[in-house]
Amino acid sequence: MVTQAILIPLLPLISFTMIIFFGKKLGTKSALIAIAASVGSCLLSASVVLPVILNHGTALHASLTWLMINGKPIEFGILVDPLSSVMLFVVTFVGSLIVIYSVGYMHNDPRFSRFFAYLSLFLFSMLGLVLSSTLVQMYFFWELVGLCSYFLIGFWFEKYEAAQAGRKAFITNRIGDVGFFLGIALFFYTTGTIRFIDITPEFMHPYANTAVLTFATILLFCGAIGKSAQVPLHVWLPDAMEGPTPVSALIHAATMVVAGVFMVARLWPVLETFPNASQTIAVVGTTTAFLGAFFAITQFDIKKVLAYSTISQLGFMITALGVGGMGAGTFHLMTHAFFKALLFLGAGSIIHGTGTQDMREMGGLRKAMPNTFWPLCIATIAIAGVPPLSGFWSKDEILTSAYLGNHRVIFWILMITAMMTSFYMFRLLFLTFAGKTRGHIHAHESPAVMTLPLAVLAIGSVLIGLPGSPFMGHWFQHFLEPHAAVHMDTFVMIMSVASATIGFIIAFICYFVKTDLPQHLAGQFWMFYDASRNKLWFDEIYNSTFIHAFKWISRISFRFDSNVIDRTVNEIGRKTVLTSRIKRWIDQYIVDGLVNFVGFSAQVSSGLLRMIQTGFVQNYLLFMVVGLLVMLLVAVK
Amino acid sequence: MTLFQFLATTAFYAAMLGILIAAALCVTVRNLFHSAVFLAFTLIGIAMLYFFLQAEFIAAMQILLYVGAIMTLIVFAVMLTSRMGNPAVPQSFKNKKIVFLPLGLVGFILISAILKTPWETSEPQTAVNAVTLGKALMNQYVFPFEVVSLVLLVALIGAIVIARSE
Amino acid sequence: MHIPIDHILVFTSILFLIGLYGALSRRNAVGILISIEIMLNAVNVNFIAFSRSFASSPESGQIFVMFAIVLAAATAAVGLAIVLNIYRNQKTIYTDEIHLLKW
């Protein structure tokens, strides 16, 4: 069992390694490797998840101690419990479909094989994150997932906006991750453990009133704010649409952005213990849900609409976790993965078929692209929350949790948000597929390799809600939370259906019947229109404050570096030259002088000694006289 | 001191002076002939000295051998190499001044040593004349006498051998 | 007459040095021989002076001088024979020009 669990992330890693090294030679065959790896992981996940379902609980926990701090171990391991099983299913299933879809979408790209390498690396990172048994390990894969996101967003890096978007995503994520890491450190310091298996309600109970841990929980949540695009760190997600659409589908809709939700769900016992923290989380989530929907209603880029929709739905999930519905939040995560992936892949199909992303140029595509239209239609109905499709069940669960938890304000805001959701989604549908084509586009249907995943996901969007519905006795929620009770409130259900219907009607009127009404309304409520269109100027405010300040700091640092440090280096260089010049002088005059002197003295002495033997008799006689003189001197003295 | 003694002493000193002058001229003149002549004068003067020093036999020998034979020899040699005795060509070296220093020093030391030594002279008991010399030669110094004659023989033969023309 | 011995000794020293000077400074080989004769003569005078002044064995000095003269003659003979030979071979008797054995 451990082998199978380890292989789940390992297969995509092997696929990544192979494609990275042999991609040029393999060419289009690298896609097959990636597909094989992801489908293999899917099948292995099924085999691993089965025991969990049968046991109604944790099936596998295996770990290795990496290091010890203060006598407490930091471990790396594998944890397969109900929550990670859900994630395994979602990631591998939806992931495989998207990998297959990418074969068609990235068909003519010059860096075809590298895309699949990155996709494989991402699957490895995400699966590693899902199977993590400790917070530290999760953080490790968290960062890795962020790195893959950077690679994939900036895949077409020749385009300036794409490179910028990748950088923005990574940096914004990192800001959240600072809080995440501090939270981990604080948590470890206070409780002495970071293993998920240790974090149970009984374990957390003694710490119930510690302010430190409340603060630590909020810090941990900061990671989710960054990764799951909550307000105020949501600004990277719309820009991330610069990446190829399969990337948007996989990472920024179905899997990576929900890592934050997954992490908060993992820390469920912690949230139960600290009501202040969960309150904060709920508020953040609700704000995000509302603002996301608010921005989505005026966007014209099809992918931007879906991006803000994702932000809004993530807000729903986080709110669910904040108000006490862990099962509801996770349920919505699963259903959202299906219909949001479907929406993105469908948008990708439209972009592939029409060549444009601007909805103002689209229209009347229903006839030209029927294989894309019907799945998208199903997805829109699902996300709007129309029963009996999956979206309804999950969204209803969230609303019920809010309502029954006495969070009235949150409940009504979510209700309005649900209405807005229905509105902008049907707006998208009508603008794209209904009426007559406005722009000069020639639409053609996408190939089967792209439309077949759409069909599969559409079936999934319909059926995936059933495990959590009353038709199956709320099996899903009981699977995740064996001890919690599941309630269904009639009032909430009726309100939920009503809001979806109202949204549909408004969209129908604006975009199907009276098509000049939107401009009229935009003119009337121009303040709201501008605020929505400009995303409440979040990017502009950040730019003029934080970014501006950091650029100033970096400019000063650069000047310091070039003046002080480079000057120091130059001075050292100059001193070295000076030293070498001195040494040259020493070498030339002193050393060479000594050597020359030795030769010179040899010459002189030999010259002197030479005179002893001149071959000249009278010189010898003179030397004899001198010798005589010496003897006389000696004798006389 | 009688007049005779006075004259004798003066003559002795004059002879010494003459010898010195002659010797000095002998070594400095350029012409080799003149040098030979001055050598002759020197030798004759020394013979005179011998007479004053009561060594008559030696004086006679000096004149006979030195002035008679050796001078002849030297004159012959000078004449045979007469082209070389040309006064136009310098007979001594250009930087001969350098020898003055050691010579001067040696001389100074010698003369000062001589003058400082307290010589204890005494008159000889017996006179020396040919008879005593002959007796000494035959009795005491017979061996050197024979050896010297051998040396003369060898020198004679050697000179002939060396100097004969091929 | 009584001449103090040191005068004679001084005289012979000077004569000897004159001869030595000549031996050192003469270029001509015959000239050197002449100077050597002077030196030998000075030494002879020295011997005679000593033999006259000291009582023991006065004839030994004179015997010695005899031998000295004889040997001087032999020396002169052989020396001049050599000089003649050299003159015949090298056509020169200047000592500084005779340097066959010099490197």
mmCIF file of all heavy atoms in Angstrom, chain A residues 508-547:
data_model
loop_
_atom_site.group_PDB
_atom_site.id
_atom_site.type_symbol
_atom_site.label_atom_id
_atom_site.label_comp_id
_atom_site.label_asym_id
_atom_site.label_seq_id
_atom_site.Cartn_x
_atom_site.Cartn_y
_atom_site.Cartn_z
ATOM 1 N N PHE A 508 -31.096 36.851 -18.924
ATOM 2 C CA PHE A 508 -31.906 36.593 -20.109
ATOM 3 C C PHE A 508 -32.409 37.896 -20.721
ATOM 4 O O PHE A 508 -32.292 38.132 -21.921
ATOM 5 C CB PHE A 508 -33.063 35.671 -19.715
ATOM 6 C CG PHE A 508 -33.863 35.200 -20.866
ATOM 7 C CD1 PHE A 508 -33.382 34.223 -21.718
ATOM 8 C CD2 PHE A 508 -35.135 35.756 -21.123
ATOM 9 C CE1 PHE A 508 -34.130 33.801 -22.800
ATOM 10 C CE2 PHE A 508 -35.880 35.316 -22.201
ATOM 11 C CZ PHE A 508 -35.395 34.339 -23.042
ATOM 12 N N ILE A 509 -32.927 38.772 -19.825
ATOM 13 C CA ILE A 509 -33.456 40.042 -20.320
ATOM 14 C C ILE A 509 -32.327 40.875 -20.936
ATOM 15 O O ILE A 509 -32.460 41.414 -22.033
ATOM 16 C CB ILE A 509 -34.123 40.835 -19.181
ATOM 17 C CG1 ILE A 509 -35.320 40.057 -18.643
ATOM 18 C CG2 ILE A 509 -34.562 42.215 -19.677
ATOM 19 C CD1 ILE A 509 -35.914 40.658 -17.393
ATOM 20 N N CYS A 510 -31.230 40.961 -20.229
ATOM 21 C CA CYS A 510 -30.171 41.871 -20.682
ATOM 22 C C CYS A 510 -29.504 41.412 -21.953
ATOM 23 O O CYS A 510 -29.117 42.231 -22.780
ATOM 24 C CB CYS A 510 -29.117 42.015 -19.595
ATOM 25 S SG CYS A 510 -29.675 42.961 -18.194
ATOM 26 N N TYR A 511 -29.331 40.130 -22.093
ATOM 27 C CA TYR A 511 -28.469 39.689 -23.177
ATOM 28 C C TYR A 511 -29.167 38.868 -24.234
ATOM 29 O O TYR A 511 -28.578 38.534 -25.236
ATOM 30 C CB TYR A 511 -27.276 38.885 -22.611
ATOM 31 C CG TYR A 511 -26.393 39.779 -21.766
ATOM 32 C CD1 TYR A 511 -26.476 39.747 -20.374
ATOM 33 C CD2 TYR A 511 -25.541 40.685 -22.362
ATOM 34 C CE1 TYR A 511 -25.687 40.576 -19.620
ATOM 35 C CE2 TYR A 511 -24.748 41.517 -21.604
ATOM 36 C CZ TYR A 511 -24.838 41.462 -20.229
ATOM 37 O OH TYR A 511 -24.068 42.287 -19.484
ATOM 38 N N PHE A 512 -30.416 38.549 -23.983
ATOM 39 C CA PHE A 512 -31.116 37.793 -25.006
ATOM 40 C C PHE A 512 -32.272 38.588 -25.634
ATOM 41 O O PHE A 512 -32.493 38.557 -26.834
ATOM 42 C CB PHE A 512 -31.634 36.470 -24.401
ATOM 43 C CG PHE A 512 -31.875 35.412 -25.405
ATOM 44 C CD1 PHE A 512 -30.831 34.758 -26.027
ATOM 45 C CD2 PHE A 512 -33.189 35.084 -25.775
ATOM 46 C CE1 PHE A 512 -31.063 33.786 -26.977
ATOM 47 C CE2 PHE A 512 -33.415 34.087 -26.718
ATOM 48 C CZ PHE A 512 -32.380 33.436 -27.321
ATOM 49 N N VAL A 513 -32.926 39.302 -24.756
ATOM 50 C CA VAL A 513 -34.129 39.999 -25.240
ATOM 51 C C VAL A 513 -33.819 41.440 -25.561
ATOM 52 O O VAL A 513 -33.823 41.874 -26.704
ATOM 53 C CB VAL A 513 -35.249 39.901 -24.191
ATOM 54 C CG1 VAL A 513 -36.462 40.652 -24.665
ATOM 55 C CG2 VAL A 513 -35.561 38.445 -23.915
ATOM 56 N N LYS A 514 -33.514 42.188 -24.523
ATOM 57 C CA LYS A 514 -33.271 43.616 -24.744
ATOM 58 C C LYS A 514 -31.764 43.872 -24.655
ATOM 59 O O LYS A 514 -31.239 44.184 -23.589
ATOM 60 C CB LYS A 514 -33.992 44.425 -23.644
ATOM 61 C CG LYS A 514 -35.264 45.084 -24.066
ATOM 62 C CD LYS A 514 -35.837 45.870 -22.884
ATOM 63 C CE LYS A 514 -36.196 47.250 -23.375
ATOM 64 N NZ LYS A 514 -36.661 48.155 -22.378
ATOM 65 N N THR A 515 -31.087 43.737 -25.733
ATOM 66 C CA THR A 515 -29.616 43.752 -25.672
ATOM 67 C C THR A 515 -29.025 45.144 -25.455
ATOM 68 O O THR A 515 -27.818 45.289 -25.280
ATOM 69 C CB THR A 515 -29.005 43.162 -26.954
ATOM 70 O OG1 THR A 515 -29.797 43.580 -28.065
ATOM 71 C CG2 THR A 515 -28.987 41.653 -26.892
ATOM 72 N N ASP A 516 -29.832 46.182 -25.502
ATOM 73 C CA ASP A 516 -29.275 47.492 -25.241
ATOM 74 C C ASP A 516 -29.411 47.892 -23.774
ATOM 75 O O ASP A 516 -28.943 48.943 -23.361
ATOM 76 C CB ASP A 516 -29.932 48.551 -26.140
ATOM 77 C CG ASP A 516 -31.442 48.486 -25.981
ATOM 78 O OD1 ASP A 516 -31.972 47.467 -25.462
ATOM 79 O OD2 ASP A 516 -32.102 49.469 -26.370
ATOM 80 N N LEU A 517 -30.058 47.056 -23.010
ATOM 81 C CA LEU A 517 -30.256 47.371 -21.592
ATOM 82 C C LEU A 517 -28.944 47.463 -20.790
ATOM 83 O O LEU A 517 -28.821 48.349 -19.956
ATOM 84 C CB LEU A 517 -31.194 46.326 -20.954
ATOM 85 C CG LEU A 517 -31.731 46.657 -19.540
ATOM 86 C CD1 LEU A 517 -32.394 48.007 -19.523
ATOM 87 C CD2 LEU A 517 -32.665 45.577 -19.055
ATOM 88 N N PRO A 518 -27.972 46.574 -21.024
ATOM 89 C CA PRO A 518 -26.732 46.684 -20.249
ATOM 90 C C PRO A 518 -26.068 48.044 -20.326
ATOM 91 O O PRO A 518 -25.667 48.612 -19.325
ATOM 92 C CB PRO A 518 -25.823 45.600 -20.835
ATOM 93 C CG PRO A 518 -26.728 44.627 -21.439
ATOM 94 C CD PRO A 518 -27.934 45.381 -21.894
ATOM 95 N N GLN A 519 -25.990 48.595 -21.571
ATOM 96 C CA GLN A 519 -25.354 49.912 -21.709
ATOM 97 C C GLN A 519 -26.134 50.970 -20.932
ATOM 98 O O GLN A 519 -25.570 51.836 -20.285
ATOM 99 C CB GLN A 519 -25.281 50.326 -23.178
ATOM 100 C CG GLN A 519 -24.132 49.691 -23.930
ATOM 101 C CD GLN A 519 -24.549 49.257 -25.297
ATOM 102 O OE1 GLN A 519 -25.560 48.570 -25.468
ATOM 103 N NE2 GLN A 519 -23.793 49.654 -26.304
ATOM 104 N N HIS A 520 -27.436 50.847 -20.992
ATOM 105 C CA HIS A 520 -28.285 51.803 -20.296
ATOM 106 C C HIS A 520 -28.030 51.759 -18.791
ATOM 107 O O HIS A 520 -27.824 52.782 -18.138
ATOM 108 C CB HIS A 520 -29.748 51.460 -20.622
ATOM 109 C CG HIS A 520 -30.708 52.528 -20.175
ATOM 110 N ND1 HIS A 520 -30.822 53.741 -20.810
ATOM 111 C CD2 HIS A 520 -31.574 52.551 -19.152
ATOM 112 C CE1 HIS A 520 -31.738 54.479 -20.180
ATOM 113 N NE2 HIS A 520 -32.219 53.777 -19.171
ATOM 114 N N LEU A 521 -28.015 50.532 -18.271
ATOM 115 C CA LEU A 521 -27.779 50.376 -16.837
ATOM 116 C C LEU A 521 -26.368 50.835 -16.444
ATOM 117 O O LEU A 521 -26.167 51.436 -15.398
ATOM 118 C CB LEU A 521 -27.963 48.910 -16.432
ATOM 119 C CG LEU A 521 -29.407 48.404 -16.412
ATOM 120 C CD1 LEU A 521 -29.419 46.896 -16.223
ATOM 121 C CD2 LEU A 521 -30.208 49.086 -15.315
ATOM 122 N N ALA A 522 -25.433 50.532 -17.322
ATOM 123 C CA ALA A 522 -24.056 50.946 -17.035
ATOM 124 C C ALA A 522 -23.957 52.452 -16.952
ATOM 125 O O ALA A 522 -23.237 53.009 -16.127
ATOM 126 C CB ALA A 522 -23.112 50.393 -18.094
ATOM 127 N N GLY A 523 -24.694 53.115 -17.857
ATOM 128 C CA GLY A 523 -24.699 54.567 -17.806
ATOM 129 C C GLY A 523 -25.364 55.094 -16.542
ATOM 130 O O GLY A 523 -24.850 56.012 -15.885
ATOM 131 N N GLN A 524 -26.447 54.486 -16.142
ATOM 132 C CA GLN A 524 -27.177 54.944 -14.958
ATOM 133 C C GLN A 524 -26.378 54.773 -13.674
ATOM 134 O O GLN A 524 -26.226 55.705 -12.878
ATOM 135 C CB GLN A 524 -28.478 54.116 -14.829
ATOM 136 C CG GLN A 524 -29.579 54.531 -15.768
ATOM 137 C CD GLN A 524 -30.413 55.652 -15.171
ATOM 138 O OE1 GLN A 524 -30.057 56.213 -14.151
ATOM 139 N NE2 GLN A 524 -31.507 55.974 -15.822
ATOM 140 N N PHE A 525 -25.847 53.562 -13.516
ATOM 141 C CA PHE A 525 -25.105 53.274 -12.277
ATOM 142 C C PHE A 525 -23.609 53.290 -12.547
ATOM 143 O O PHE A 525 -22.887 52.371 -12.225
ATOM 144 C CB PHE A 525 -25.497 51.892 -11.738
ATOM 145 C CG PHE A 525 -26.959 51.762 -11.474
ATOM 146 C CD1 PHE A 525 -27.798 51.116 -12.369
ATOM 147 C CD2 PHE A 525 -27.495 52.306 -10.315
ATOM 148 C CE1 PHE A 525 -29.153 51.013 -12.106
ATOM 149 C CE2 PHE A 525 -28.840 52.197 -10.058
ATOM 150 C CZ PHE A 525 -29.694 51.553 -10.959
ATOM 151 N N TRP A 526 -23.167 54.394 -13.170
ATOM 152 C CA TRP A 526 -21.791 54.427 -13.661
ATOM 153 C C TRP A 526 -20.761 54.248 -12.558
ATOM 154 O O TRP A 526 -19.699 53.681 -12.769
ATOM 155 C CB TRP A 526 -21.519 55.718 -14.447
ATOM 156 C CG TRP A 526 -21.706 56.956 -13.638
ATOM 157 C CD1 TRP A 526 -22.872 57.693 -13.492
ATOM 158 C CD2 TRP A 526 -20.741 57.606 -12.815
ATOM 159 N NE1 TRP A 526 -22.671 58.735 -12.667
ATOM 160 C CE2 TRP A 526 -21.372 58.714 -12.219
ATOM 161 C CE3 TRP A 526 -19.382 57.372 -12.540
ATOM 162 C CZ2 TRP A 526 -20.691 59.578 -11.358
ATOM 163 C CZ3 TRP A 526 -18.722 58.244 -11.691
ATOM 164 C CH2 TRP A 526 -19.388 59.337 -11.081
ATOM 165 N N MET A 527 -21.079 54.683 -11.331
ATOM 166 C CA MET A 527 -20.116 54.515 -10.243
ATOM 167 C C MET A 527 -19.841 53.048 -9.978
ATOM 168 O O MET A 527 -18.694 52.614 -9.880
ATOM 169 C CB MET A 527 -20.647 55.192 -8.965
ATOM 170 C CG MET A 527 -20.104 56.584 -8.781
ATOM 171 S SD MET A 527 -20.117 57.110 -7.072
ATOM 172 C CE MET A 527 -21.808 56.950 -6.647
ATOM 173 N N PHE A 528 -20.943 52.271 -9.878
ATOM 174 C CA PHE A 528 -20.778 50.829 -9.633
ATOM 175 C C PHE A 528 -20.102 50.153 -10.810
ATOM 176 O O PHE A 528 -19.273 49.259 -10.659
ATOM 177 C CB PHE A 528 -22.128 50.158 -9.377
ATOM 178 C CG PHE A 528 -22.746 50.601 -8.094
ATOM 179 C CD1 PHE A 528 -23.819 51.502 -8.095
ATOM 180 C CD2 PHE A 528 -22.256 50.157 -6.887
ATOM 181 C CE1 PHE A 528 -24.382 51.912 -6.898
ATOM 182 C CE2 PHE A 528 -22.817 50.568 -5.695
ATOM 183 C CZ PHE A 528 -23.891 51.460 -5.702
ATOM 184 N N TYR A 529 -20.518 50.637 -12.009
ATOM 185 C CA TYR A 529 -19.928 50.025 -13.205
ATOM 186 C C TYR A 529 -18.423 50.225 -13.242
ATOM 187 O O TYR A 529 -17.654 49.299 -13.490
ATOM 188 C CB TYR A 529 -20.593 50.618 -14.463
ATOM 189 C CG TYR A 529 -20.068 49.978 -15.715
ATOM 190 C CD1 TYR A 529 -20.500 48.704 -16.102
ATOM 191 C CD2 TYR A 529 -19.120 50.616 -16.511
ATOM 192 C CE1 TYR A 529 -20.006 48.103 -17.237
ATOM 193 C CE2 TYR A 529 -18.636 50.019 -17.650
ATOM 194 C CZ TYR A 529 -19.078 48.765 -18.012
ATOM 195 O OH TYR A 529 -18.576 48.167 -19.134
ATOM 196 N N ASP A 530 -18.003 51.477 -12.970
ATOM 197 C CA ASP A 530 -16.567 51.748 -12.982
ATOM 198 C C ASP A 530 -15.831 50.958 -11.908
ATOM 199 O O ASP A 530 -14.762 50.397 -12.153
ATOM 200 C CB ASP A 530 -16.316 53.246 -12.759
ATOM 201 C CG ASP A 530 -16.375 54.003 -14.069
ATOM 202 O OD1 ASP A 530 -16.373 53.346 -15.124
ATOM 203 O OD2 ASP A 530 -16.418 55.240 -14.035
ATOM 204 N N ALA A 531 -16.398 50.928 -10.694
ATOM 205 C CA ALA A 531 -15.744 50.194 -9.605
ATOM 206 C C ALA A 531 -15.586 48.725 -9.971
ATOM 207 O O ALA A 531 -14.543 48.111 -9.741
ATOM 208 C CB ALA A 531 -16.561 50.327 -8.326
ATOM 209 N N SER A 532 -16.621 48.168 -10.591
ATOM 210 C CA SER A 532 -16.549 46.751 -10.958
ATOM 211 C C SER A 532 -15.557 46.526 -12.090
ATOM 212 O O SER A 532 -14.714 45.634 -12.039
ATOM 213 C CB SER A 532 -17.951 46.273 -11.385
ATOM 214 O OG SER A 532 -17.848 45.006 -11.996
ATOM 215 N N ARG A 533 -15.655 47.376 -13.100
ATOM 216 C CA ARG A 533 -14.804 47.219 -14.279
ATOM 217 C C ARG A 533 -13.314 47.343 -13.908
ATOM 218 O O ARG A 533 -12.483 46.646 -14.448
ATOM 219 C CB ARG A 533 -15.186 48.316 -15.282
ATOM 220 C CG ARG A 533 -14.560 48.168 -16.627
ATOM 221 C CD ARG A 533 -15.483 47.375 -17.549
ATOM 222 N NE ARG A 533 -14.847 47.259 -18.863
ATOM 223 C CZ ARG A 533 -13.908 46.367 -19.155
ATOM 224 N NH1 ARG A 533 -13.529 45.500 -18.251
ATOM 225 N NH2 ARG A 533 -13.352 46.354 -20.346
ATOM 226 N N ASN A 534 -13.039 48.244 -12.969
ATOM 227 C CA ASN A 534 -11.648 48.499 -12.592
ATOM 228 C C ASN A 534 -11.222 47.699 -11.373
ATOM 229 O O ASN A 534 -10.198 47.994 -10.782
ATOM 230 C CB ASN A 534 -11.444 49.994 -12.325
ATOM 231 C CG ASN A 534 -11.503 50.791 -13.603
ATOM 232 O OD1 ASN A 534 -10.863 50.445 -14.588
ATOM 233 N ND2 ASN A 534 -12.296 51.848 -13.607
ATOM 234 N N LYS A 535 -11.994 46.689 -11.041
ATOM 235 C CA LYS A 535 -11.667 45.763 -9.937
ATOM 236 C C LYS A 535 -11.397 46.508 -8.642
ATOM 237 O O LYS A 535 -10.497 46.144 -7.894
ATOM 238 C CB LYS A 535 -10.453 44.890 -10.325
ATOM 239 C CG LYS A 535 -10.606 44.210 -11.680
ATOM 240 C CD LYS A 535 -9.254 43.839 -12.268
ATOM 241 C CE LYS A 535 -8.619 45.061 -12.923
ATOM 242 N NZ LYS A 535 -7.264 44.852 -13.357
ATOM 243 N N LEU A 536 -12.134 47.589 -8.418
ATOM 244 C CA LEU A 536 -11.936 48.422 -7.227
ATOM 245 C C LEU A 536 -10.494 48.925 -7.115
ATOM 246 O O LEU A 536 -10.002 49.173 -6.029
ATOM 247 C CB LEU A 536 -12.293 47.650 -5.944
ATOM 248 C CG LEU A 536 -13.711 47.895 -5.402
ATOM 249 C CD1 LEU A 536 -13.924 47.122 -4.104
ATOM 250 C CD2 LEU A 536 -13.960 49.374 -5.155
ATOM 251 N N TRP A 537 -9.827 49.045 -8.250
ATOM 252 C CA TRP A 537 -8.502 49.617 -8.322
ATOM 253 C C TRP A 537 -7.497 48.962 -7.384
ATOM 254 O O TRP A 537 -6.557 49.607 -6.933
ATOM 255 C CB TRP A 537 -8.572 51.141 -8.041
ATOM 256 C CG TRP A 537 -9.424 51.866 -9.030
ATOM 257 C CD1 TRP A 537 -9.084 52.223 -10.302
ATOM 258 C CD2 TRP A 537 -10.782 52.253 -8.863
ATOM 259 N NE1 TRP A 537 -10.122 52.837 -10.932
ATOM 260 C CE2 TRP A 537 -11.190 52.871 -10.073
ATOM 261 C CE3 TRP A 537 -11.708 52.178 -7.821
ATOM 262 C CZ2 TRP A 537 -12.460 53.378 -10.266
ATOM 263 C CZ3 TRP A 537 -12.969 52.700 -8.023
ATOM 264 C CH2 TRP A 537 -13.345 53.284 -9.237
ATOM 265 N N PHE A 538 -7.676 47.676 -7.128
ATOM 266 C CA PHE A 538 -6.734 46.981 -6.235
ATOM 267 C C PHE A 538 -5.310 47.036 -6.765
ATOM 268 O O PHE A 538 -4.367 47.375 -6.061
ATOM 269 C CB PHE A 538 -7.145 45.504 -6.078
ATOM 270 C CG PHE A 538 -7.916 45.235 -4.817
ATOM 271 C CD1 PHE A 538 -9.285 45.139 -4.828
ATOM 272 C CD2 PHE A 538 -7.245 45.076 -3.612
ATOM 273 C CE1 PHE A 538 -9.982 44.886 -3.662
ATOM 274 C CE2 PHE A 538 -7.944 44.816 -2.451
ATOM 275 C CZ PHE A 538 -9.330 44.734 -2.476
ATOM 276 N N ASP A 539 -5.192 46.700 -8.051
ATOM 277 C CA ASP A 539 -3.847 46.666 -8.625
ATOM 278 C C ASP A 539 -3.205 48.039 -8.587
ATOM 279 O O ASP A 539 -2.017 48.180 -8.287
ATOM 280 C CB ASP A 539 -3.910 46.175 -10.085
ATOM 281 C CG ASP A 539 -4.102 44.679 -10.153
ATOM 282 O OD1 ASP A 539 -3.343 43.988 -9.444
ATOM 283 O OD2 ASP A 539 -4.987 44.225 -10.879
ATOM 284 N N GLU A 540 -3.985 49.064 -8.902
ATOM 285 C CA GLU A 540 -3.428 50.409 -8.955
ATOM 286 C C GLU A 540 -2.978 50.871 -7.579
ATOM 287 O O GLU A 540 -1.923 51.481 -7.439
ATOM 288 C CB GLU A 540 -4.481 51.384 -9.522
ATOM 289 C CG GLU A 540 -4.727 51.224 -11.026
ATOM 290 C CD GLU A 540 -5.608 50.024 -11.346
ATOM 291 O OE1 GLU A 540 -6.088 49.358 -10.411
ATOM 292 O OE2 GLU A 540 -5.813 49.739 -12.538
ATOM 293 N N ILE A 541 -3.785 50.539 -6.562
ATOM 294 C CA ILE A 541 -3.413 50.957 -5.205
ATOM 295 C C ILE A 541 -2.142 50.245 -4.766
ATOM 296 O O ILE A 541 -1.209 50.861 -4.249
ATOM 297 C CB ILE A 541 -4.561 50.653 -4.211
ATOM 298 C CG1 ILE A 541 -5.776 51.517 -4.553
ATOM 299 C CG2 ILE A 541 -4.112 50.917 -2.777
ATOM 300 C CD1 ILE A 541 -7.006 51.134 -3.778
ATOM 301 N N TYR A 542 -2.082 48.938 -5.028
ATOM 302 C CA TYR A 542 -0.880 48.191 -4.640
ATOM 303 C C TYR A 542 0.341 48.740 -5.335
ATOM 304 O O TYR A 542 1.413 48.870 -4.747
ATOM 305 C CB TYR A 542 -1.036 46.706 -5.007
ATOM 306 C CG TYR A 542 -1.925 45.930 -4.085
ATOM 307 C CD1 TYR A 542 -2.449 44.698 -4.470
ATOM 308 C CD2 TYR A 542 -2.249 46.392 -2.823
ATOM 309 C CE1 TYR A 542 -3.252 43.971 -3.639
ATOM 310 C CE2 TYR A 542 -3.060 45.680 -1.983
ATOM 311 C CZ TYR A 542 -3.564 44.457 -2.391
ATOM 312 O OH TYR A 542 -4.373 43.732 -1.560
ATOM 313 N N ASN A 543 0.158 49.030 -6.610
ATOM 314 C CA ASN A 543 1.278 49.524 -7.391
ATOM 315 C C ASN A 543 1.838 50.817 -6.822
ATOM 316 O O ASN A 543 3.041 50.964 -6.645
ATOM 317 C CB ASN A 543 0.817 49.732 -8.848
ATOM 318 C CG ASN A 543 1.971 49.579 -9.804
ATOM 319 O OD1 ASN A 543 3.046 49.210 -9.402
ATOM 320 N ND2 ASN A 543 1.718 49.871 -11.056
ATOM 321 N N SER A 544 0.933 51.760 -6.531
ATOM 322 C CA SER A 544 1.432 53.061 -6.100
ATOM 323 C C SER A 544 1.945 53.050 -4.677
ATOM 324 O O SER A 544 2.719 53.918 -4.306
ATOM 325 C CB SER A 544 0.332 54.112 -6.247
ATOM 326 O OG SER A 544 -0.797 53.705 -5.508
ATOM 327 N N THR A 545 1.551 52.058 -3.882
ATOM 328 C CA THR A 545 2.055 52.070 -2.509
ATOM 329 C C THR A 545 3.196 51.066 -2.320
ATOM 330 O O THR A 545 4.358 51.451 -2.258
ATOM 331 C CB THR A 545 0.937 51.747 -1.506
ATOM 332 O OG1 THR A 545 0.278 50.552 -1.947
ATOM 333 C CG2 THR A 545 -0.067 52.873 -1.425
ATOM 334 N N PHE A 546 2.870 49.799 -2.271
ATOM 335 C CA PHE A 546 3.895 48.805 -1.932
ATOM 336 C C PHE A 546 4.959 48.668 -2.999
ATOM 337 O O PHE A 546 6.157 48.698 -2.719
ATOM 338 C CB PHE A 546 3.251 47.432 -1.699
ATOM 339 C CG PHE A 546 2.283 47.421 -0.565
ATOM 340 C CD1 PHE A 546 0.928 47.254 -0.789
ATOM 341 C CD2 PHE A 546 2.717 47.594 0.736
ATOM 342 C CE1 PHE A 546 0.041 47.250 0.263
ATOM 343 C CE2 PHE A 546 1.833 47.594 1.783
ATOM 344 C CZ PHE A 546 0.492 47.423 1.549
ATOM 345 N N ILE A 547 4.476 48.508 -4.224
ATOM 346 C CA ILE A 547 5.430 48.275 -5.313
ATOM 347 C C ILE A 547 6.366 49.465 -5.443
ATOM 348 O O ILE A 547 7.575 49.307 -5.582
ATOM 349 C CB ILE A 547 4.683 48.043 -6.644
ATOM 350 C CG1 ILE A 547 3.560 47.041 -6.456
ATOM 351 C CG2 ILE A 547 5.634 47.633 -7.728
ATOM 352 C CD1 ILE A 547 4.005 45.632 -6.296
#
